[in-house]
Amino acid sequence: MIRIFWPGLRRCVLIGKKVLCGLLLLLASGCAYSVHQVYVSDNIPFAALENGEVVKGQGEQFVIFSFTFDSDYVEKARQDLISNCPKGRLTSITTQHSTSLGFFSWTNKVLIQGLCVSNTKT
Amino acid sequence: MRNFILILAAAAMSTLGMGCVSVESISLTSIPARRDAPVRTEKSKIIFLGFNFNNDFVDELVGDLKNQCKDGIVSGILTKDEVVNYFLMIVYSRRVTATGYCQRTGQKT
Amino acid sequence: MIFSRPNLFTFFRTAFLKAILLLGLCGCAILHKVQLSDIDNRSQFVQVPFDVKVSETGVDVKDIERLGRASGSQAGNDIGNVAALVALFQMGPRSGAPVFSEKYAEKIIYQIHQQCPSGNYSGVTSIRETRKYPVISGEIVKVTGFCLREKKGASL
């Protein structure tokens, strides 16, 4: 019985292996990231979460073959954060620096989140 | 001729790679509501072949910011630590930049 | 009979390999970054420690490639080749193994305020570390600090 079905079975296993390898390639070559650091600042002067609004600022830099000549995306993230809280103070700031990995290229990202507290609330 | 082309290619690659910047770490402290007086300082050190015997250049940052904001509070400090690669990591520079906002005493945050 | 020379050698060799395997399964802890915030150590406050830990599973395709090739079989070689191909799509600066979601640490600010509702905290230590195992790893972000509560009857 096995002898009859063996060539067919073998073919199925070979096709199955290729399909599995293809699926693995598809899955694993999907977006991969590396988080380098997450820094939480203090909360001075302190404010509860309900007294403010959580705002965020982001900056990105696309890099090919590691040729980068500046790191302005960091200042851009800070400006973005400040523009989302033009009249209040920002406290409880979380700074995340990560990289989105790719094919001979990657994107450096900075995400800054903070609690925007307007001057009328403490 | 072949050697000359190889040397030229290597020089071109190294020139292209000059000043490649990568960020090591970033930190940001609480930002005040008044942001009309920014202050900034930058200190760097060139390192050759990885021979670095101290990081004292970092200690000058706080003094520099204090000089720019006398009798005040410096807050909202963004500290950026970078590596600037000049030549294949044989010659590179460690650069730390700190920018913040100065509030003179008597001003509301 | 266990004390004859070949048996003794086999026994110690097996025990040594098992010990190495056990150590490997325990995982290696790698510290990437540590940062501290301001510390308010005034005696008028009671310091209640809090701890927030988030993590994501990282997959190191280079480990898969090495293990595949080390197996010596055709299937292992195929897997090693696929892993090498996948590694080409994961180039860039990295801390630990790559993860498939970068959003796992975005809710930390909410978790801190959940543990310290007044928002009065200080002495925050932010740690980015990796707990490494064969092929997979735990990419961990840990934030510890102290929630400050005023002592009853304390004067400012």
Side-chain angles (χ1 to χ4, degrees):
Chain A
M1 222 32 181
I2 295 170
R3 271 193 209 164
I4 295 165
F5 289 109
W6 180 245
L9 258 169
R10 209 172 150 206
R11 203 170 154 202
C12 278
V13 165
L14 280 168
I15 292 170
K17 243 203 294 188
K18 284 181 184 166
V19 168
L20 191 66
C21 284
L23 272 170
L24 182 69
L25 190 68
L26 215 64
L27 269 168
S29 64
C31 295
Y33 307 92
S34 183
V35 175
H36 307 299
Q37 63 159 97
V38 176
Y39 167 64
V40 178
S41 81
D42 48 61
N43 196 15
I44 295 167
F46 71 91
L49 204 64
E50 48 271 12
N51 289 343
E53 185 198 351
V54 177
V55 295
K56 54 168 90 166
Q58 285 178 298
E60 289 185 6
Q61 178 193 56
F62 182 64
V63 178
I64 301 177
F65 291 117
S66 84
F67 290 131
T68 50
F69 302 103
D70 62 65
S71 54
D72 296 342
Y73 66 102
V74 178
E75 272 83 10
K76 191 207 164 262
R78 178 167 74 159
Q79 284 311 315
D80 201 16
L81 178 79
I82 287 170
S83 66
N84 286 330
C85 186
K87 287 179 183 168
R89 60 179 169 86
L90 282 150
T91 185
S92 202
I93 293 179
T94 310
T95 313
Q96 178 175 306
H97 180 218
S98 62
T99 300
S100 171
L101 310 170
F103 182 68
F104 285 99
S105 63
W106 52 87
T107 307
N108 293 320
K109 296 181 185 180
V110 170
L111 170 69
I112 310 178
Q113 294 182 87
L115 187 66
C116 176
V117 181
S118 63
N119 279 336
T120 51
K121 293 183 185 174
T122 52
Chain B
M1 186 63 182
R2 191 180 160 205
N3 285 342
F4 175 73
I5 291 168
L6 279 168
I7 292 165
L8 204 65
M13 285 295 284
S14 65
T15 314
L16 277 171
M18 255 186 181
C20 274
V21 175
S22 63
V23 174
E24 291 292 308
S25 74
I26 305 157
S27 69
L28 182 59
T29 64
S30 298
I31 300 174
R34 278 190 76 105
R35 303 186 267 263
D36 48 11
V39 292
R40 186 179 188 278
T41 181
E42 184 183 296
K43 297 288 171 199
S44 62
K45 185 176 181 184
I46 294 179
I47 298 163
F48 180 68
L49 281 175
F51 289 118
N52 183 33
F53 302 103
N54 65 68
N55 292 309
D56 296 344
F57 72 100
V58 175
D59 299 335
E60 296 165 28
L61 287 164
V62 174
D64 225 15
L65 286 174
K66 280 162 85 173
N67 282 340
Q68 294 182 49
C69 186
K70 290 195 166 120
D71 199 29
I73 299 171
V74 183
S75 53
I77 302 175
L78 173 70
T79 312
K80 193 169 63 168
D81 177 16
E82 303 169 284
V83 170
V84 185
N85 178 19
Y86 293 112
F87 182 64
L88 299 172
M89 287 307 281
I90 293 170
V91 181
Y92 65 96
S93 161
R94 201 65 192 249
R95 183 166 72 193
V96 182
T97 313
T99 53
Y101 299 98
C102 174
Q103 290 165 266
R104 306 280 175 204
T105 46
Q107 284 178 337
K108 284 185 190 169
T109 53
Chain C
M1 266 176 247
I2 195 169
F3 297 112
S4 68
R5 269 201 189 157
N7 280 339
L8 210 60
F9 175 74
T10 313
F11 172 74
F12 278 115
R13 187 181 67 179
T14 318
F16 179 70
L17 286 171
K18 281 180 184 168
I20 296 284
L21 185 69
L22 195 66
L23 275 170
L25 287 172
C26 288
C28 275
I30 303 164
L31 178 67
H32 298 294
K33 290 274 183 332
V34 172
Q35 276 156 316
L36 267 71
S37 78
D38 286 350
I39 301 168
D40 189 345
N41 201 27
R42 288 176 288 178
S43 52
Q44 71 213 59
F45 295 112
V46 171
Q47 298 184 19
V48 180
F50 69 84
D51 188 297
V52 170
K53 195 169 170 178
V54 293
S55 67
E56 182 76 5
T57 307
V59 179
D60 194 346
V61 288
K62 291 205 168 100
D63 269 356
I64 299 174
E65 186 191 341
R66 268 185 239 124
L67 286 169
R69 294 205 198 286
S71 71
S73 65
Q74 184 55 39
N77 261 338
D78 288 341
I79 289 169
N81 290 337
V82 171
L85 198 57
V86 168
L88 286 177
F89 288 86
Q90 294 183 352
M91 297 187 83
R94 44 169 92 174
S95 302
V99 295
F100 296 104
S101 165
E102 59 179 349
K103 295 188 186 296
Y104 68 99
E106 283 184 17
K107 301 290 177 198
I108 276 183
I109 187 172
Y110 298 100
Q111 291 180 351
I112 291 171
H113 280 263
Q114 207 171 20
Q115 297 214 20
C116 192
S118 66
N120 191 5
Y121 59 82
S122 87
V124 181
T125 308
S126 310
I127 300 166
R128 169 72 182 93
E129 59 179 350
T130 293
R131 195 87 181 159
K132 180 122 181 73
Y133 301 96
V135 179
I136 61 168
S137 62
E139 303 300 326
I140 302 163
V141 174
K142 192 163 82 173
V143 176
T144 60
F146 296 92
C147 189
L148 304 176
R149 287 173 198 169
E150 278 207 44
K151 281 180 185 168
K152 285 180 186 170
S155 59
L156 281 166

